[in-house]
């Protein structure tokens, strides 16, 4: 008995609110602090600053989602930054995340970017192995200072 090769996903930008809403269940696996009620509004708000949402569909079902934006800075020039990249946990290891990342890489080329960047939590070791398998390299540390709770004085 041999296993079937999964169908390749159809990947596209997600623009309509009803389709954005269908991406929530997948995005929630990466961003559990978001609620379904706020998800579309947050995506729309971030879109005013260039954020875009792309999804991988298999048989009209969302199997992976990525949020990204094109930016420019002195360190890297023009680059595509991946804010969010997640495959449904029950659909992992079928090539959907790799297909979505390949789509993002092509998007970076199309947008005239010099590089593609993303940050990944230090505890996400499975994700790190995936990124390395997909030709990405660990290039820096990302430091954070929480402003919440600090006074302006």
């Amino acid at each position: 008995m041999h296993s079937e090769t999964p169908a390749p996903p159809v990947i596209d930008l997600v623009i309509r609110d009803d389709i954005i809403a269908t991406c929530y269940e997948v995005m929630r696996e990466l961003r559990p602090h978001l609620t379904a009620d706020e998800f579309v509004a947050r995506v729309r708000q971030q879109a005013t600053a260039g954020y875009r949402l792309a999804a991988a569909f298999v048989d009209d079902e969302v199997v992976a989602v990525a949020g990204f934006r094109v930016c420019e800075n002195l360190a890297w020039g023009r680059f595509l930054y991946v804010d969010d990249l997640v495959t449904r946990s029950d659909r992992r290891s079928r090539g959907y995340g790799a297909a979505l990342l390949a789509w993002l890489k092509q998007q970076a080329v199309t947008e005239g970017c010099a590089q593609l960047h993303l940050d990944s939590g230090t505890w996400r070791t499975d994700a790190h192995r995936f990124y390395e398998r997909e030709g990405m390299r660990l290039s820096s540390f990302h430091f954070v200072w929480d402003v919440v709770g600090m006074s302006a004085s």
Side-chain angles (χ1 to χ4, degrees), residues 77-91:
R78 186 173 174 85
F79 63 98
L80 188 144
Y81 185 82
V82 180
D83 293 88
D84 319 287
L85 177 59
V86 60
T87 300
R88 269 183 44 180
S89 58
D90 65 344
R91 298 299 183 93

Side-chain angles (χ1 to χ4, degrees), residues 47-60:
T48 65
Y51 181 87
R52 290 179 263 175
L53 194 64
F57 300 89
V58 173
D59 298 327
D60 294 326

Side-chain angles (χ1 to χ4, degrees), residues 3 21 44 48 50 61 66 75 87 90 98 116 118 127 130 132 144 146:
S3 62
R44 286 282 175 227
T48 65
E61 180 181 28
T87 300
D90 65 344
L116 179 144
L118 61 79
F130 166 73
E132 288 173 348
V144 175
D146 290 328

